[in-house]
Amino acid sequence: MPTTCVFQLDRLNPGYNSGEYISGRILLRTDKVKRVNAVYVTLEGEAKVQWSMSGKSETANYSGHQQYLHSRTNVFDNSLFRAGVHVYVLTLRIPPDCPSTCKGPYGYIAYHLSLTIDKPWGFDEVFKKPINVVQTLDLNYNPEFTLPVKDENIKYLCHWPCISGPISSTLALPASGFTPLQEVPFRLEVDNQSPHYDINAVEVSIKQHFVFLSRNPVKRNFYTKTLVKELIADRTLRLSKRQYESSICVPMDTPRSTLNPNYIVFIHYTLQVKLKTGCFHYDTDLSVPIIVGTTSLQHLRNSVHTHQPARRTTTPERQRLIERVTPRPPTVEEETAAEAAATTTDEPHQALDDDEPPSYDSCLPPSFSFATLAGSQQTLGSNHAVVLQRIHLPKFPGFSTLIGTAPAHGMEDSGLDMHMYRSYGSLDTDHTGRSLDTFGSLCGPLSEHVEEQEHEVEAETEAEAEEEAETLDVTAQVHQVAAARAQVAEAEEDLLDEHLF
């Protein structure tokens, strides 16, 4: 059976803030004695960037690497590693200046916890557990994040001699610092002095901007991603003014803004507004920078949600489809006719109706239009909306994070009861070697799964002891019966000898 390793951390979702401690334990199972140099646990955090650009005659490759965290703790230093289940309790600290976990098309920032079996020959056995790190950023400590931000733009449609009046627009935010699941309120003022064109709609979005820095050779690469987008269908007619006041929510899994420009993976955000003019004209863009942190501003904490709001922009096509699928409510005449028919119906007819075969109309499959709107409409025959609760697992980077990981099943094998022992990473045992300051020397509370395994092992041991005791009792009884029979045989022989003589 191959070597297996199970990481049991103190959190179901392995997500930690910078500056926090990672607590848990590692269960390492081996089926035979191994000759090793050492067994150690490492906590690493790094950033990597890589891309290539092809020219007419050659291709240029760009790459960069930056190490944010590397801590190693030896848990075994001897040469012979015994077979069985080894339990290592850990307590590791994440530095407070580590950037948040993120992933882009040309690079990533990732953290992982690993256990390595260093062999004197062959390949090392490495087991990795990816974790998410969120850099803490309290927006109340920097007064610049509380100041309002503003952007203005003036645009002329067409050119001389058909030039139109100016379209003046102003975008304003009450502050620049926000947190995930928080509403970003904005105010847009539009003064349309064009005599020929209307502003058909306004598109609001939150943009995520990546900056990747290559060190060999030095070059920057950029990438922009739209996190959330909403459409305001209210029009601004020609030669008129209009003011829009609304808000847009920051998604829940948004990485925090990077404030250190020396990192090779840099993230910043903007709120962008587009004025849809149509008629083959370019849209008017307004954008203001926003900072995404972990602790919201004191005067804007009322706009923070506890879950991601499900908000969808209703287009005219979707609205017509909803009206087509939604059943029409009965009119007053239909309700009156139905009540009159119900009152005039006698009981024999009701009995006949009850004897009729059931109708299978409700079992028919839904139409395509109804199925496409199943997420926003209620299901067939339901009187209330069904709310599904899902566990929000952390989004790990898409690169390979598991190297040589064996399956974790089989820990409940009862054949390990004779070889099971614990290695707690302390100086008092000869199996674990030395322990550094970042490695715990005490055993924490066992999980329910491991406690059940220990109870099963104890129950099996007690059952075997009882079986052995019963076997010993039966053997003693057999010996006693044999001895009694021997004594009876001897007594009969003595009586026979006396009778003959």
Side-chain angles (χ1 to χ4, degrees):
M1 184 175 180
T3 304
T4 59
C5 183
V6 178
F7 294 85
Q8 295 182 350
L9 303 181
D10 57 344
R11 298 182 184 179
L12 178 63
N13 298 333
Y16 299 87
N17 293 328
S18 58
E20 290 185 344
Y21 287 87
I22 302 176
S23 300
R25 62 180 187 171
I26 303 175
L27 279 72
L28 178 64
R29 173 184 173 179
T30 57
D31 58 345
K32 60 182 180 180
V33 179
K34 295 179 180 288
R35 187 175 296 275
V36 300
N37 294 330
V39 178
Y40 55 90
V41 177
T42 56
L43 177 61
E44 295 180 289
E46 61 181 359
K48 289 184 178 181
V49 296
Q50 183 179 4
W51 70 89
S52 60
M53 299 179 65
S54 300
K56 295 183 179 179
S57 59
E58 59 182 8
T59 300
N61 297 321
Y62 302 91
S63 61
H65 178 266
Q66 197 171 36
Q67 191 82 25
Y68 302 119
L69 172 63
H70 181 81
S71 64
R72 168 174 169 171
T73 303
N74 285 6
V75 297
F76 186 83
D77 286 337
N78 297 334
S79 59
L80 294 179
F81 193 64
R82 291 178 53 185
V85 177
H86 308 261
V87 182
Y88 303 107
V89 179
L90 56 92
T91 303
L92 304 173
R93 186 174 185 268
I94 303 174
D97 56 346
C98 289
S100 301
T101 303
C102 63
K103 173 195 171 185
Y106 308 115
Y108 61 84
I109 299 176
Y111 299 84
H112 61 265
L113 183 68
S114 62
L115 184 141
T116 305
I117 301 178
D118 187 2
K119 297 181 179 181
W121 64 86
F123 296 99
D124 298 340
E125 295 186 44
V126 182
F127 306 91
K128 291 190 176 183
K129 175 70 173 179
I131 60 176
N132 272 7
V133 175
V134 178
Q135 186 178 16
T136 56
L137 177 59
D138 193 346
L139 302 175
N140 297 281
Y141 289 160
N142 194 335
E144 294 182 359
F145 301 153
T146 62
L147 299 178
V149 289
K150 186 178 182 180
D151 186 22
E152 298 179 350
N153 190 7
I154 299 177
K155 182 177 181 179
Y156 292 89
L157 301 179
C158 301
H159 298 281
W160 185 87
C162 301
I163 190 171
S164 66
I167 299 178
S168 304
S169 55
T170 303
L171 176 64
L173 271 66
S176 61
F178 301 92
T179 60
L181 296 180
Q182 184 177 7
E183 293 286 343
V184 181
F186 63 89
R187 185 179 70 255
L188 176 64
E189 297 179 357
V190 179
D191 185 6
N192 186 7
Q193 297 299 323
S194 174
H196 308 291
Y197 304 100
D198 300 336
I199 297 177
N200 301 325
V202 175
E203 182 182 282
V204 186
S205 60
I206 296 180
K207 301 286 186 178
Q208 183 183 52
H209 307 275
F210 282 91
V211 180
F212 303 96
L213 175 61
S214 171
R215 297 291 178 84
N216 186 22
V218 178
K219 187 176 178 61
R220 294 181 183 272
N221 202 347
F222 304 92
Y223 175 75
T224 301
K225 176 183 177 181
T226 302
L227 298 181
V228 61
K229 181 171 61 176
E230 294 185 1
L231 184 66
I232 302 176
D234 297 338
R235 304 177 62 185
T236 303
L237 302 179
R238 63 197 71 178
L239 300 177
S240 64
K241 298 180 180 179
R242 192 181 187 93
Q243 179 173 325
Y244 301 87
E245 290 187 357
S246 182
S247 61
I248 186 171
C249 184
V250 182
M252 180 180 60
D253 298 327
T254 304
R256 287 13 172 204
S257 300
T258 306
L259 301 181
N260 191 345
N262 297 324
Y263 290 157
I264 62 175
V265 179
F266 188 85
I267 305 178
H268 62 99
Y269 301 90
T270 58
L271 187 141
Q272 187 179 58
V273 174
K274 288 185 177 181
L275 303 182
K276 299 290 185 177
T277 52
C279 299
F280 305 102
H281 295 293
Y282 290 105
D283 298 335
T284 304
D285 295 340
L286 296 97
S287 63
V288 291
I290 60 175
I291 303 297
V292 177
T294 55
T295 305
S296 59
L297 297 174
Q298 190 70 27
H299 64 283
L300 295 177
R301 289 186 177 178
N302 295 331
S303 60
V304 180
H305 296 283
T306 57
H307 61 280
Q308 182 71 30
R311 180 181 299 178
R312 297 187 59 179
T313 303
T314 303
T315 60
E317 294 80 4
R318 178 177 173 82
Q319 185 64 29
R320 288 195 296 269
L321 188 59
I322 292 175
E323 294 176 354
R324 187 183 306 171
V325 174
T326 304
R328 179 180 58 84
T331 60
V332 178
E333 292 79 2
E334 293 177 353
E335 291 180 355
T336 306
E339 292 178 358
T343 54
T344 56
T345 303
D346 51 356
E347 294 185 1
H349 288 284
Q350 292 181 2
L352 292 176
D353 294 339
D354 295 338
D355 294 337
E356 292 180 357
S359 176
Y360 295 96
D361 294 338
S362 60
C363 300
L364 295 177
S367 61
F368 175 77
S369 59
F370 188 89
T372 55
L373 294 177
S376 60
Q377 302 294 329
Q378 299 180 3
T379 57
L380 289 172
S382 63
N383 296 325
H384 59 279
V386 180
V387 180
L388 299 179
Q389 297 181 357
R390 298 182 179 179
I391 299 176
H392 296 281
L393 296 180
K395 294 185 178 180
F396 298 120
F399 48 87
S400 178
T401 55
L402 300 177
I403 302 177
T405 302
H409 57 80
M411 297 299 292
E412 66 277 6
D413 190 0
S414 60
L416 295 174
D417 54 351
M418 299 300 295
H419 306 285
M420 181 176 291
Y421 63 92
R422 297 180 181 177
S423 300
Y424 291 133
S426 62
L427 298 176
D428 299 333
T429 174
D430 58 347
H431 303 300
T432 59
R434 65 179 182 273
S435 173
L436 300 182
D437 294 338
T438 57
F439 205 84
S441 60
L442 297 178
C443 179
L446 299 179
S447 64
E448 297 180 357
H449 182 62
V450 178
E451 288 180 356
E452 292 177 358
Q453 295 177 0
E454 294 185 354
H455 288 312
E456 291 178 359
V457 172
E458 293 177 358
E460 292 178 358
T461 306
E462 293 177 358
E464 292 178 358
E466 291 178 358
E467 291 179 359
E468 293 178 359
E470 292 178 358
T471 304
L472 293 176
D473 293 341
V474 172
T475 305
Q477 292 178 3
V478 171
H479 287 303
Q480 291 177 2
V481 171
R485 289 180 178 178
Q487 293 178 1
V488 171
E490 292 178 359
E492 290 179 353
E493 289 179 359
D494 293 342
L495 291 175
L496 183 60
D497 292 341
E498 290 178 359
H499 180 69
L500 292 176
F501 292 105

